[in-house]
Amino acid sequence: MTRPRVVVAGLGDSGVLTAIKLARHADVVGVSAKPGLLSGQELGMRISRPQDWARYNWIPFHRFRGLDHVRTVHGTLTGLDRAARKVFVETAAGGTVAEPYDALVISTGVSNGFWRQPHLQSADEITTELGAAHQRLGSARSVIVIGGGAAAVSSAANLAKAWPDKRVDLYFPSERALVHHHPRVWQQISRQLTGLGVGLHAGHRAVLPDGFACDEITDAPVQWSTGQPAASADAVLWAIGRVSPNTQWLPPELLDEHGFVRVTPELRVPGAPGVFAVGDVAATDPLRSSARNRADGLLAHNIRAHFGGKPLRAYRPASRRWGSVLGPQGDGLEVFTPKGQAFRFPGWSIDRVLMPWIVWRGFYRGVRSDSSRRT
């Protein structure tokens, strides 16, 4: 019996996990603009300790044992033919190929700042980009971080830890940051930020320069629409959560008014038989939480059920953000529950238990050492 063919469009965190779970049940093809998993998570660690960040978050595809039977295509998605059930890819080698599918998973994510961009990159270009942002911020005597989400808060904390002599200020528009987390989370994190010497400035909403996409580190004074005097620093990091879905290759009728992919509770795309969506690109709920709540497992189940003519399960989104805020630190990893309760993985356990056993083996079904090559 011929195995069904699944194309996973986008191999970020959600796409890789979905492809791994489907590889035992279908012929899977993954399409990615990067030659490996380049996570958009843990911005603070990425800019302050890029080598440590890369060990956990920049992993070439050949290292994933679960992708051994997945064919990966390095290229940029350019179109979808729903009638013919094909996606079109402009490959890194040049030229355009058509990839047919029985089921299509749209997991192309979003663009956000300089750290989450959909353009085609090589491994060397990614490594250079990681170092450039680190050097730019490291050479600044003062840094302003703008934004109230986890990326901004983590950036401010990690910069202050990495360079204690640097002046770091965090500006956010509401009375508190982390408004999508339980209030207890900000109570605890704000105390840590103050202890690190980070200046906290509530009620500041930045004026965005005309045409500015928030995708670069700037040094011009920041103006505030909320009436405060302008603020200046050697470097300004914009982490305001101004995301843009990577859906330019899709027909507009599959998208909502903001450009995200419309989905049913079962993660199907209405009007596109055999097409599903997951992750930040999928309009599941206001927080688009399927990227962080293990919806990849439910989606893999639903695609198998789709092929078998069985009932599909509904995704139930979380009402609050949860998880780590500051990322791994020398003394451990602090993780928050949706109710704002904190628990900590001790520092020794991150490289001995958490990453090798829980994440790499449990979630990703095995990750080879950095020096390995697929045979």
Side-chain angles (χ1 to χ4, degrees):
M1 182 176 179
T2 303
R3 281 162 47 107
R5 181 184 175 92
V6 179
V7 171
V8 179
L11 289 176
D13 297 285
S14 297
V16 166
L17 287 166
T18 302
I20 287 172
K21 289 179 172 62
L22 288 170
R24 297 178 181 177
H25 309 279
D27 291 332
V28 180
V29 178
V31 181
S32 174
K34 320 297 181 185
L37 172 60
L38 184 68
S39 177
Q41 304 301 310
E42 309 290 7
L43 175 61
M45 185 180 180
R46 172 174 172 156
I47 58 179
S48 62
R49 294 178 285 137
Q51 291 183 333
D52 290 339
W53 180 89
R55 285 195 295 123
Y56 305 142
N57 297 287
W58 162 222
I59 305 176
F61 293 134
H62 72 265
R63 291 181 55 197
F64 291 97
R65 297 185 186 277
L67 294 180
D68 282 354
H69 299 290
V70 173
R71 179 167 63 86
T72 59
V73 179
H74 187 196
T76 303
L77 291 148
T78 59
L80 166 65
D81 186 331
R82 284 173 288 168
R85 294 200 170 205
K86 293 180 180 179
V87 296
F88 299 96
V89 184
E90 185 176 335
T91 69
T96 300
V97 298
E99 295 289 348
Y101 64 84
D102 297 304
L104 170 65
V105 175
I106 301 171
S107 53
T108 43
V110 297
S111 299
N112 183 15
F114 63 84
W115 62 95
R116 300 179 76 179
Q117 291 295 319
H119 52 271
L120 194 71
Q121 285 183 297
S122 68
D124 288 343
E125 288 170 337
I126 290 169
T127 300
T128 299
E129 184 177 82
L130 290 175
H134 172 71
Q135 292 172 10
R136 172 73 176 86
L137 291 166
S139 64
R141 292 169 298 176
S142 57
V143 178
I144 286 174
V145 181
I146 302 176
V153 170
S154 172
S155 296
N158 279 277
L159 288 170
K161 277 196 172 187
W163 294 288
D165 295 334
K166 195 185 303 295
R167 193 192 87 215
V168 179
D169 289 279
L170 175 66
Y171 292 82
F172 45 95
S174 301
E175 293 184 3
R176 66 178 177 92
L178 303 177
V179 295
H180 295 303
H181 290 71
H182 193 281
R184 290 197 199 102
V185 179
W186 176 240
Q187 291 173 8
Q188 296 188 54
I189 295 295
S190 62
R191 288 196 293 267
Q192 296 181 44
L193 290 168
T194 300
L196 291 168
V198 175
L200 303 179
H201 307 270
H204 286 67
R205 186 175 296 278
V207 175
L208 299 182
D210 290 341
F212 180 52
C214 304
D215 58 356
E216 60 183 276
I217 298 169
T218 61
D219 57 9
V222 181
Q223 307 290 333
W224 310 104
S225 64
T226 39
Q228 298 89 348
S232 300
D234 294 334
V236 179
L237 175 62
W238 299 79
I240 62 175
R242 194 182 189 187
V243 302
S244 176
N246 298 323
T247 54
Q248 297 85 351
W249 61 284
L250 290 169
E253 58 268 24
L254 302 185
L255 311 177
D256 68 8
E257 66 274 21
H258 304 294
F260 296 91
V261 181
R262 293 185 294 113
V263 290
T264 68
E266 296 77 24
L267 303 180
R268 290 179 184 263
V269 178
V275 180
F276 300 78
V278 70
D280 288 315
V281 77
T284 51
D285 60 282
L287 298 180
R288 298 185 307 280
S289 61
S290 69
R292 285 160 287 276
N293 287 284
R294 303 309 310 280
D296 51 277
L298 180 140
L299 176 57
H301 168 274
N302 282 354
I303 290 175
R304 296 196 302 270
H306 164 74
F307 289 139
K310 298 178 180 179
L312 277 61
R313 298 174 184 168
Y315 171 69
R316 293 178 174 81
S319 59
R320 295 185 186 273
R321 297 262 195 235
W322 62 278
S324 168
V325 175
L326 303 186
Q329 305 295 321
D331 60 353
L333 175 67
E334 188 175 44
V335 178
F336 294 93
T337 70
K339 294 183 178 180
Q341 299 161 325
F343 61 93
R344 178 178 292 276
F345 292 92
W348 63 264
S349 71
I350 295 174
D351 287 324
R352 297 182 190 178
V353 178
L354 178 62
M355 295 307 300
W357 293 100
I358 298 177
V359 177
W360 289 342
R361 181 163 294 192
F363 293 169
Y364 290 103
R365 297 182 180 172
V367 177
R368 298 179 176 91
S369 66
D370 192 30
S371 60
S372 66
R373 291 291 182 270
R374 181 185 293 185
T375 58

